[in-house]
Amino acid sequence: MEPKTWIVTGANRGIGLEFVRQLQARGEDVIATARDPEAATELCELGVRVEQLDVADPVSVAGFAALLEGESVDVLLNNAGAMERAGDLGSIDYDLMRRQFDVNTLGPLRMVEAALPALRLGGRKLIATLTSKMGSITDNTSGGSYAYRTSKTALNMVNRSVSVDLAGEGFTCVVLHPGWAQTAMGGENAPLDVAASVTGMLKVLDGADAGHNGRFFNYDGEELPW
Ligand SMILES: NC(=O)c1ccc[n+]([C@@H]2O[C@H](COP(=O)([O-])OP(=O)(O)OC[C@H]3O[C@@H](n4cnc5c(N)ncnc54)[C@H](OP(=O)(O)O)[C@@H]3O)[C@@H](O)[C@H]2O)c1
């Protein structure tokens, strides 16, 4: 396969960092982003292009969009995300919920808008966004996690609209659940190794075409219910 250019957000640690490692190992070009590039030692050591980006900050996103002017990008990988507890029913922290929406729901949408001119110049036209099974209404039998769950459910709808709006231009837009993976977010008891999660997701993305547009996949390729 010809090398592609990928944008990976939240690339300084966890799943994002592993995506960059595996993409670099197979010869792809990567534009990796981090909120604080100077502190992103492991990422910078890989020698890929690193840019500053906070997906919750419109000024930062606009600055990143300006950097991309005239460039062509094949894949936008919306990986950055946050999970904080907004409290239990009766003591919900609404400011925290708003902040979580800003990162998990509005952030990826801002990034689609920011990267669209570059993606239109690219050949692959793929937008992949990391969601979570915790955003699945069908799968929610344990309740709670108001901020994280709702921000990811809304994210799934963002992806669905983007997938419809861009289908005519040949884009494929999917949301992916990485499995419960060992990262700062997943915790050390997570059953899935980050490398296996990312290898699985890359396989799904390599096979993604128009027939996959607007759909929700597990890291192993299984389709997940909304
Ligand atoms: N691990 C799991 O089991 C699991 C399960 C389901 C879904 N997911 C999803 O997978 C994605 C990656 O998760 P992870 O496990 O790798 O989490 P992680 O280890 O906590 O890493 C999160 C990444 O997102 C970045 N980030 C947070 N807020 C940001 C912002 N406002 N702007 C830009 N970057 C920001 C973080 O940067 P900083 O270092 O600057 O904070 C970090 O690079 C997330 O979307 C998450 O919701 C993970």
Side-chain angles (χ1 to χ4, degrees):
M1 250 190 298
E2 224 176 277
K4 307 268 185 302
T5 303
W6 297 60
I7 294 172
V8 181
T9 65
N12 55 302
R13 58 189 171 99
I15 291 168
L17 180 61
E18 182 60 24
F19 262 118
V20 177
R21 279 201 192 102
Q22 292 197 20
L23 287 169
Q24 189 191 36
R26 64 187 220 181
E28 312 273 9
D29 291 322
V30 182
I31 305 171
T33 76
R35 284 198 286 191
D36 183 358
E38 282 188 17
T41 321
E42 275 182 273
L43 175 62
C44 291
E45 278 171 5
L46 295 176
V48 299
R49 175 174 165 191
V50 179
E51 303 289 357
Q52 194 282 331
L53 176 71
D54 181 338
V55 300
D57 176 0
V59 175
S60 171
V61 176
F64 181 70
L67 283 177
L68 289 181
E69 219 176 292
E71 290 193 41
S72 124
V73 169
D74 293 289
V75 187
L76 168 63
L77 188 54
N78 268 322
N79 164 77
M83 180 168 68
E84 284 178 82
R85 285 187 53 79
D88 297 323
L89 205 54
S91 60
I92 304 281
D93 179 341
Y94 289 94
D95 286 334
L96 187 148
M97 279 195 76
R98 276 187 207 96
R99 288 201 301 274
Q100 197 125 140
F101 264 77
D102 220 357
V103 179
N104 291 350
T105 313
L106 309 186
L109 181 56
R110 278 188 194 104
M111 286 306 298
V112 170
E113 291 199 295
L116 201 49
L119 289 165
R120 283 185 167 130
L121 295 176
R124 181 65 172 95
K125 296 187 171 55
L126 176 63
I127 299 175
T129 299
L130 275 277
T131 184
S132 172
K133 239 174 155 171
M134 286 184 74
S136 166
I137 291 175
T138 308
D139 194 63
N140 184 1
T141 53
S142 54
S145 300
Y146 287 91
Y148 189 67
R149 282 190 189 283
T150 57
S151 66
K152 292 293 194 182
T153 310
L155 172 63
N156 291 349
M157 187 60 92
V158 163
N159 183 68
R160 187 57 168 246
S161 280
V162 169
S163 75
V164 173
D165 290 347
L166 297 180
E169 294 183 51
F171 275 84
T172 302
C173 310
V174 294
V175 280
L176 299 170
H177 171 61
W180 181 15
Q182 277 162 28
T183 62
M185 187 185 291
E188 57 189 28
N189 293 328
L192 188 62
D193 174 64
V194 186
S197 165
V198 168
T199 302
M201 288 189 281
L202 283 176
K203 196 169 164 206
V204 175
L205 294 179
D206 287 343
D209 59 20
H212 295 75
N213 193 29
R215 291 162 64 185
F216 180 11
F217 296 100
N218 197 21
Y219 76 98
D220 62 4
E222 180 199 355
E223 183 151 22
L224 293 172
W226 300 110

